[in-house]
Amino acid sequence: GKLRAFSRAILMPGWVNAHAHLNLTAALGQIPGSAEQFTDWVRLVIAFQRRLPPEIVHRSIRAGLDLLAHTGTTTVA
């Protein structure tokens, strides 16, 4: 085979996201909150999830996977 040199590059493994909520990608920018009101925020997240139809959940997961791939994430759990 042909050997190629990439003098201004680095070869490294992809990122790992070991805690992903891909089904909540659709929630980006939709749920306000702060650390001081964490319990209230969690309730809003749960309510948001319950309102999502299955098709939106599927699209949300797909969009989340696309975002992860775009940022170099190769492994998701």
Side-chain angles (χ1 to χ4, degrees):
K2 184 177 178 183
L3 180 63
R4 296 179 65 187
F6 296 93
S7 60
R8 301 185 87 180
I10 184 170
L11 180 62
M12 58 185 283
W15 296 107
V16 174
N17 186 331
H19 186 120
H21 294 276
L22 297 173
N23 59 315
L24 291 175
T25 305
L28 288 173
Q30 300 295 313
I31 304 172
S34 67
E36 295 83 28
Q37 300 167 332
F38 181 74
T39 306
D40 294 334
W41 177 81
V42 169
R43 287 185 181 112
L44 290 172
V45 170
I46 292 168
F48 180 86
Q49 283 181 295
R50 289 182 178 155
R51 290 192 308 268
L52 292 178
E55 177 59 28
I56 298 300
V57 173
H58 177 76
R59 289 181 186 185
S60 181
I61 291 169
R62 182 75 245 161
L65 289 170
D66 289 345
L67 284 170
L68 289 172
H70 180 72
T71 60
T73 301
T74 59
T75 306
V76 180

